[in-house]
Structure formats: C-alpha cells, structure tokens
C-alpha cells in the first residue's frame, strides 16, 4: 500500500474498531499496516487485543513474531512462531 492509502485505510479501520474493540480482522489489518510503516510497538498493541480472543489463531502469532523480531526480541519472535505452527 502507498503511504496515502495506508493513512486512509488506517482512518477507516480505526473507525470500525470504535464499533467493536476486539474485531479480529480490523485488528490484524491495523497490525499489518503498522508493520509496513515500521511501527512494531503499535502493531503489538493491536495484536495483544486480538490475542485476547484469538489466542490459537496462527496468523496472530505470526504477525506477533514479525513485530517482536522488528524490535530485536528474537526469543519472543521464536516463541510466537512456535505457537503459530505447533
């Protein structure tokens, strides 16, 4: 996504999140945008909310691993990848 498109998508997704604070597709979409923009800490905040209701979802653990890796937390990233695929 282009930066302008990411900004517009983020605005729309945040509005959708106001209607349902644990909307899994919205939270993972916001996470992906944050990761694309190099905002790993923000991505993690969305993922933690998603994990509260979808702790067995491989996608959430994979995205969490990417965010942790981006922050240099290799052990945490490895743990999340393992949760995603085991």
């Amino acid at each position: 996504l282009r930066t302008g498109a990411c900004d517009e998508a983020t605005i729309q997704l945040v509005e959708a999140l106001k209607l349902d604070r644990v909307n899994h597709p919205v939270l993972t979409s916001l996470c992906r945008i944050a990761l694309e923009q190099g905002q790993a800490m923000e991505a993690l905040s969305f993922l933690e909310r998603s994990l509260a209701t979808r702790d067995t979802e491989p996608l959430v653990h994979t995205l969490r691993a990417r965010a942790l890796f981006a922050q240099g937390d290799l052990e945490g990233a490895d743990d999340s990848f393992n949760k995603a695929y085991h």
Side-chain angles (χ1 to χ4, degrees):
L1 289 171
R2 298 181 327 276
T3 300
C6 283
D7 293 342
E8 181 60 32
T10 300
I11 291 167
Q12 297 297 320
L13 290 165
V14 168
E15 287 300 312
L17 203 55
K18 289 178 183 177
L19 300 173
D20 180 0
R21 301 218 16 100
V22 291
N23 184 311
H24 176 70
V26 171
L27 288 166
T28 56
S29 294
L30 284 166
C31 168
R32 287 178 169 171
I33 291 170
L35 286 172
E36 293 255 339
Q37 295 178 337
Q39 300 170 345
M41 179 102 64
E42 187 173 351
L44 284 170
S45 72
F46 295 125
L47 290 169
E48 294 307 319
R49 287 172 38 193
S50 191
L51 277 169
T53 59
R54 299 276 184 118
D55 66 339
T56 60
E57 180 75 35
L59 173 63
V60 177
H61 289 287
T62 300
L63 291 171
R64 186 171 187 273
R66 287 181 53 204
L68 291 170
F69 183 82
Q71 288 189 313
D73 182 354
L74 304 182
E75 188 174 319
D78 184 56
D79 183 54
S80 287
F81 273 126
N82 285 329
K83 287 179 182 174
Y85 298 105
H86 296 286

